Amino acid sequence: MVDLANMETVEKECGALGGLFQAIVNDMKCSYPVWEDFSAKATKLHSQLRTTVLAAVAFLDAFQKVADMATNTRGATRDIGSALTRMCMRHRSIEAKLRQFTNALMESLITPLQDKIEDWKKTANQLDKDHAKEYKRSRHEIKKKSSDTMKLQKKARKEMQGRGDLQPQLDSAMQDVTDMCLLMEETEKQAVRRALVEERGRFCTFIGFLQPVVNGEIAMLGEITHLQAIIDDLTVLTTDPHKLPPASEQVIKDLKGSDYSWSYQTPPSSPSSSGSRKSSMCSSLPHQPPPPGGIAAHRLSSVSSHDSGFVSQDANIYSKPPSPMPSDITSQKSSSSASSEASETCQSVSECSSPTTVSILIHNI
């Protein structure tokens, strides 16, 4: 009976080990949504990083143009341009490390992890299935052996008054039951160990996937430390914007005695200023009425300047005066000279005056 009590104790221990195994397997099965959520978030991060890499490339191309512009000046900011170029090169190194980090995130972590999640599901299900099968088989064998042992024990009690030939057989059967219980206990311990190893192995595998990603991140952050020296140099160079560096002063000194490859081009006067001067000159001319003898000449000049319909016919009609009287020959000569002077004056006025001014003159005539 003492051995049967020990068997009950062993059976309870086996049941506890089986319950622990089942809890570990259930934890692994419940972890799949967590792994899948991590994979989805990592994929989203990878997509955003790819967009960041493209934006960084475009930014650095524009940054390089600014640095080149500063470097290609006539000497005022070449030192600043040199520092900006070094900063741009460092940022390109950071961008390259960021690209490696992004690629490692997908190639070393996301894709292998997604494949492993499927394997982990199959492994956990197989562990649970194998354990349940082995546990049932062991319990069935122990129960059968225990039942046979109890029958043999009852039979041995009846024959204790006789020769007692069944005692060695009973002892052997009870030892077999004890061995089977111990074997089942050890089997359950091994099953629990396999479950613990499987659970730990998953995290070890995850760390193996994560390591290249973190190494790439560390390499990228290591490049960032080099920016401190460059920004310190730029701070010193730009402390006083009104003070030229020695290199800039040297450009001015080197120009003296050179071949003078640069020459200053005087900008032309603007058309508006020229027109203003012409208008002021025209406005300063006096508006004097023409002499009586010059009315026809003034009319001809005004009409020929602003009404092309009278140039070919009406001008010939008005240009043919009536035959003068002998007594008016002397006055006509003096009037002719005055008329020519008035005609020249009106012609200059018509060149610089507006049509409104000419029409006013004709109205006065």
Side-chain angles (χ1 to χ4, degrees), residues 173-211:
M174 294 180 66
Q175 185 63 42
D176 291 341
V177 172
T178 303
D179 293 341
M180 292 177 66
C181 289
L182 294 175
L183 180 61
M184 182 179 178
E185 182 181 5
E186 186 62 30
T187 302
E188 287 302 305
K189 290 179 179 179
Q190 292 296 331
V192 171
R193 291 190 183 99
R194 284 195 300 269
L196 291 172
V197 168
E198 176 64 24
E199 187 178 40
R200 182 179 178 83
R202 295 186 177 191
F203 290 97
C204 292
T205 302
F206 174 73
I207 296 302
F209 294 159
L210 187 64
Q211 186 175 1

Side-chain angles (χ1 to χ4, degrees), residues 74-327:
R74 305 303 177 184
T77 58
R78 288 183 181 178
D79 51 348
I80 299 176
S82 177
L84 288 175
T85 300
R86 287 189 289 117
M87 177 172 285
C88 185
M89 292 175 63
R90 283 298 180 186
H91 275 89
R92 289 194 183 277
S93 298
I94 296 172
E95 179 267 327
K97 299 297 183 182
L98 177 61
R99 189 185 298 272
Q100 294 177 4
F101 167 73
T102 304
N103 294 335
L105 187 64
M106 175 59 71
E107 297 173 0
S108 301
L109 179 61
I110 299 174
T111 301
L113 181 61
Q114 290 175 347
D115 296 337
K116 274 295 180 182
I117 291 175
E118 299 301 323
D119 293 340
W120 290 343
K121 291 180 180 179
K122 296 177 181 179
T123 303
N125 291 333
Q126 191 64 38
L127 281 174
D128 193 15
K129 183 178 179 180
D130 293 343
H131 172 263
K133 182 179 179 181
E134 183 66 24
Y135 188 84
K136 289 179 180 180
R137 185 188 65 81
S138 298
R139 281 182 59 85
H140 178 72
E141 291 180 355
I142 290 174
K143 285 183 177 182
K144 183 179 180 182
K145 193 68 174 178
S146 297
S147 179
D148 294 340
T149 303
M150 290 179 68
K151 290 179 181 180
L152 185 60
Q153 188 176 16
K154 291 179 180 180
K155 188 177 181 180
R157 287 177 182 175
K158 293 179 180 180
E159 295 183 356
M160 286 181 64
Q161 299 176 357
R163 295 173 296 179
D165 295 336
L166 295 178
Q167 189 62 39
Q169 186 179 355
L170 178 61
D171 294 340
S172 176
M174 294 180 66
Q175 185 63 42
D176 291 341
V177 172
T178 303
D179 293 341
M180 292 177 66
C181 289
L182 294 175
L183 180 61
M184 182 179 178
E185 182 181 5
E186 186 62 30
T187 302
E188 287 302 305
K189 290 179 179 179
Q190 292 296 331
V192 171
R193 291 190 183 99
R194 284 195 300 269
L196 291 172
V197 168
E198 176 64 24
E199 187 178 40
R200 182 179 178 83
R202 295 186 177 191
F203 290 97
C204 292
T205 302
F206 174 73
I207 296 302
F209 294 159
L210 187 64
Q211 186 175 1
V213 179
V214 177
N215 288 338
E217 186 179 10
I218 293 173
M220 179 183 66
L221 295 176
E223 289 290 336
I224 296 178
T225 58
H226 298 291
L227 296 177
Q228 186 62 49
I230 301 176
I231 196 63
D232 290 343
D233 293 343
L234 283 171
T235 302
V236 173
L237 292 173
T238 57
T239 301
D240 188 0
H242 303 286
K243 181 180 179 181
L244 289 175
S248 300
E249 295 291 346
Q250 189 64 36
V251 171
I252 300 174
K253 294 179 181 179
D254 293 342
L255 184 63
K256 186 177 182 180
S258 64
D259 56 354
Y260 300 105
S261 57
W262 291 294
S263 61
Y264 180 73
Q265 301 292 333
T266 304
S269 59
S270 61
S272 59
S273 62
S274 176
S276 299
R277 288 195 299 269
K278 188 174 182 180
S279 300
S280 62
M281 291 175 63
C282 293
S283 62
S284 63
L285 292 175
H287 297 282
Q288 298 178 355
I295 294 176
H298 183 269
R299 178 178 296 172
L300 287 176
S301 175
S302 301
V303 171
S304 63
S305 299
H306 297 283
D307 194 348
S308 59
F310 291 94
V311 172
S312 60
Q313 296 178 358
D314 296 342
N316 293 331
I317 294 174
Y318 287 103
S319 64
K320 192 179 291 184
S323 299
M325 296 298 292
S327 62

